[in-house]
Amino acid sequence: MLFTTVFATLLSIASWTPPVAANLRIKADHHSWGGVNYPMLQFFTPQHRDDTIRELVKANVRVIRLFIRPDEQHPDPESELGGFDKSLLDQFDDCLAAIHHLSKGQMKVIVVPHDAHALRGSNDVPCDAYCKKLDGAFLDFYSQDEYRELYKTRLEVFFKHYPSKAFDGRPWGELSEIILGVDLQNEPFSGIWPIPAGESWLCDIANYLKFNVGLDKSNIAVISGGISGPQSIDGIQNFPDTAMECAAIDVIGIHGYFKKENDATAGTPWANMFIPGNTLTARAQGKKGDSKLLLVEEWSYVHSNFGHFYKKEALFDQGNALNYRGIPWLYSHLTTLDEGLTAKVNPLRPSYVSWNALKDVLQRAYSSRSNFDWSKYLPAPETGLSNLTAIPLNPYIPEQSDCTFGCEGHLCDAADGCAPDLLCKNSICQQNSESQPGKTGDRCDSKKVCQEHLRCSNGECQKCSVRPPIQPERRPRKRTIPSQEPPPYDPSARIIANDITASCHSDSLPSLFTLYHKKTLPEHPICLSPPNPPRGQPCASTAHCNANEYCNWGLCTSCASSDACLGARCRSNNKCKTGFCNNFGKCDYPGQKKIISGPGARGKSRNNRVPGVPKGHERGPAKVRDEAMRVNIPGEKAQETGRAGVTA
């Protein structure tokens, strides 16, 4: 049996080639970036504030998101409606100046002029002047003209009338050298979806900021701010039609909290959500002059049943997935206190090692590529863009983990980046579907081929084994007592396959025969290395292929620039090589769930239901009215907001 395995393995040597680049790797020359949320940075002592900023500069942080809101120790600048405390605005202005000076102009801020949580005293944000006047009916803030005008006054005072003492008396609305963008509000309608009343508030406030306040003239972005709170995988809480179709909104801010699962890393949902060319990313790119930028404005570690020891792993996985998809991001959030079992990260306490993992992905984000052009709002980094052709492996996976890479849910860039029984599809290791052709055990012949890493033998796709790691002759142990020798080498302490710290045996004859003589050859032949150029996985439909491929005569074929594939404009399914033309006239990845919201196509038919409205209440005397309502919602906590899946 061992000789047969050696012979079968030797047959693969002639076909061995270096690993190929990932099919969905971004090659555009636009830069992505990483940043952090630090809600109360302006209230620190100047020394502590500046020390924090210097550490963030070292980590290549490009953007800090700052909040203007009250906390337990500090009031809101608008202590009474229409009345403002200039000293608090001066303090915020000092923070802007410190960031600009210490970063030498390479770092910018996103300003959050108000937090929707302050409207009801939730999420550890005290009840402010608006909240006291609303008296629990917080949706009145969005539906009643009185509150809308009061809020516009707040925005006008902040960005038009306040003279910046640190920037020569200019208003904040002109400070594009330090301000990247302004949120409409932090999580307007937070916890409410579908939005029952006042949805027109979004575009009205966006237009006011852009044209009345004058952000458009200053090249300062208007950001949606995480509408309706944390995003779920299959929902559109952060990008309803109202926001996507509003020309005054420049950036769609997405908030989401995901945790590590048995079949997915904490970053898998982000990798699924931002598949290049899917409904979200293609619609955001849109037509010239009608495009949006996508920003993950809040994400953080979410505690899971795996335990807090996996915090560093989860931090790296999420940042790594967003870097790979080219989506800028902001971690939520940093703290000056003890981290404990929370999601917060302290950048000034080296005893807390979670900052090392976050700092790692921040530095990688600095040179990451993006399909979206941010140069209007943020200058290109001083160093060049990354030319990485392989996905960085996570160096923060604990030793007690069952797998370091290649397991279900892990990122991959080729078939040999996953366990032999998994399929690398859309850059994620995943289980083969029942209909997926060419998997282990399937019948094969000259017309029905196996998956690229499997061999066809005796008319069947055969099992294969990962390339074995080189085992050390002796694993050194530390002495526990100086007078005693360290314990002897434990033969059972072997390096397992897929260990990130391991080195693999090559295909050389001496290496293979060494394995043979040691009787350590794997039970099955070593999996085939990816061919270069790639042959393409077998398929029966385009749903069996990567998102940027189509099924062509039984093999997945990469789309050419002239092909109508993901993101191409279309009028019908038969115009798309992917076989699916979505509701927004773009070729999309097949098999995704259609999400219909608002009046749109569904509203044109009297026989169809209206989203969010009970049956029988769509029209007539029982129609649900667009009126103010009193809603009490429990305080928001960081928790998972969806299971891994593909967002349409």
Side-chain angles (χ1 to χ4, degrees), residues 568-618:
R569 298 191 66 80
C570 58
R571 292 187 178 181
S572 61
N573 290 345
N574 62 2
K575 296 293 183 182
C576 299
K577 287 205 169 183
T578 56
F580 175 34
C581 182
N582 66 28
N583 290 342
F584 307 106
K586 295 291 184 70
C587 293
D588 208 339
Y589 189 59
Q592 296 192 83
K593 182 176 68 174
K594 289 189 178 182
I595 301 176
I596 303 175
S597 169
R602 178 171 286 184
K604 295 178 182 179
S605 172
R606 292 180 59 88
N607 297 323
N608 287 335
R609 295 283 309 284
V610 178
V613 176
K615 186 177 181 180
H617 294 260
E618 300 93 340

Side-chain angles (χ1 to χ4, degrees), residues 112-125:
V112 182
H114 191 257
D115 192 339
H117 294 292
L119 298 178
R120 56 186 187 273
S122 61
N123 204 36
D124 298 326
V125 181

Side-chain angles (χ1 to χ4, degrees), residues 39-45 67 69-71 74-75 88 91 95:
M40 295 298 141
L41 180 63
Q42 67 268 26
F43 294 130
F44 294 163
T45 63
F67 290 64
R69 71 183 186 191
D71 65 8
H74 307 93
L88 291 171
Q91 201 168 11
C95 187

Side-chain angles (χ1 to χ4, degrees), residues 33-39 41 52-53 56-57 59-67 107-110 295-299 329-335 345 347 355 358-359 362:
W33 48 270
V36 296
N37 286 264
Y38 216 149
L41 180 63
T52 301
I53 294 171
L56 299 183
V57 171
N60 287 340
V61 166
R62 298 301 311 279
V63 176
I64 306 177
R65 186 167 176 248
L66 301 176
F67 290 64
M107 189 185 295
K108 289 193 176 185
V109 303
I110 290 174
L295 164 65
V296 174
E297 203 174 37
E298 287 187 15
W299 66 268
W329 52 268
L330 301 166
Y331 185 76
S332 179
H333 60 81
L334 303 189
T335 183
V345 175
W355 171 242
L358 182 58
K359 185 177 180 179
L362 281 167

Side-chain angles (χ1 to χ4, degrees), residues 126-386:
C127 182
D128 65 2
Y130 292 95
C131 171
K132 293 171 183 175
K133 183 174 176 62
L134 289 164
D135 191 26
F138 85 94
L139 287 179
D140 286 7
F141 180 84
Y142 305 100
S143 60
Q144 291 191 5
D145 291 340
E146 177 188 4
Y147 293 99
R148 193 173 296 195
E149 293 306 313
L150 285 168
Y151 188 58
K152 288 179 179 178
T153 299
R154 179 183 177 97
L155 298 176
E156 191 167 332
V157 169
F158 287 173
F159 300 104
K160 199 170 183 179
H161 296 321
Y162 169 76
S164 168
K165 66 186 183 71
F167 292 89
D168 301 323
R170 295 157 58 204
W172 287 349
E174 295 181 4
L175 303 183
S176 59
E177 66 266 39
I178 179 61
I179 298 178
L180 178 146
V182 177
D183 278 1
L184 303 179
Q185 188 185 38
N186 179 53
E187 298 189 354
F189 307 99
S190 178
I192 299 294
W193 179 259
I195 300 172
E199 192 171 1
S200 62
W201 180 92
L202 294 169
C203 203
D204 184 25
I205 298 300
N207 276 284
Y208 190 81
L209 277 170
K210 196 174 188 71
F211 302 113
N212 293 70
V213 173
L215 300 188
D216 185 48
K217 294 180 181 178
S218 304
N219 284 341
I220 295 176
V222 176
I223 306 174
S224 61
I227 304 164
S228 292
Q231 178 69 33
S232 63
I233 282 295
D234 293 321
I236 53 173
Q237 291 92 336
N238 292 168
F239 36 91
D241 292 347
T242 310
M244 297 296 288
E245 294 171 2
C246 178
I249 294 178
D250 303 303
V251 180
I252 301 296
I254 298 172
H255 299 189
Y257 299 94
F258 305 106
K259 67 180 181 181
K260 175 181 172 66
E261 304 282 356
N262 290 322
D263 58 353
T265 71
T268 305
W270 294 122
N272 279 322
M273 189 180 299
F274 296 110
I275 293 175
N278 70 353
T279 300
L280 174 58
T281 57
R283 192 182 183 197
Q285 287 180 307
K287 295 179 291 186
K288 188 175 182 180
D290 188 33
S291 59
K292 308 287 184 196
L293 296 171
L294 297 178
L295 164 65
V296 174
E297 203 174 37
E298 287 187 15
W299 66 268
S300 73
Y301 163 76
V302 178
H303 192 65
S304 68
N305 57 2
F306 287 88
H308 199 69
F309 290 108
Y310 287 81
K311 181 176 181 179
K312 290 187 297 179
E313 175 190 338
L315 289 175
F316 187 90
D317 279 333
Q318 294 190 70
N320 195 32
L322 291 168
N323 290 344
Y324 188 68
R325 292 299 194 217
I327 304 296
W329 52 268
L330 301 166
Y331 185 76
S332 179
H333 60 81
L334 303 189
T335 183
T336 187
L337 306 174
D338 291 342
E339 294 181 14
L341 297 178
T342 70
K344 298 177 182 178
V345 175
N346 189 327
L348 297 182
R349 294 282 294 274
S351 57
Y352 296 129
V353 292
S354 54
W355 171 242
N356 295 334
L358 182 58
K359 185 177 180 179
D360 191 340
V361 284
L362 281 167
Q363 291 174 331
R364 294 173 190 269
Y366 188 74
S367 58
S368 294
R369 296 175 177 270
S370 176
N371 283 327
F372 296 87
D373 186 0
W374 283 85
S375 59
K376 179 179 179 181
Y377 305 112
L378 192 66
E382 294 179 346
T383 58
L385 291 166
S386 170

Side-chain angles (χ1 to χ4, degrees), residues 64-111:
I64 306 177
R65 186 167 176 248
L66 301 176
F67 290 64
I68 303 178
R69 71 183 186 191
D71 65 8
E72 293 180 356
Q73 290 81 35
H74 307 93
D76 186 70
E78 191 176 5
S79 55
E80 59 181 35
L81 296 179
F84 297 88
D85 185 340
K86 184 176 179 294
S87 65
L88 291 171
L89 299 182
D90 287 344
Q91 201 168 11
F92 191 89
D93 192 64
D94 289 341
C95 187
L96 297 182
I99 293 171
H100 185 62
H101 172 68
L102 294 174
S103 70
K104 298 180 180 179
Q106 289 300 300
M107 189 185 295
K108 289 193 176 185
V109 303
I110 290 174
V111 179

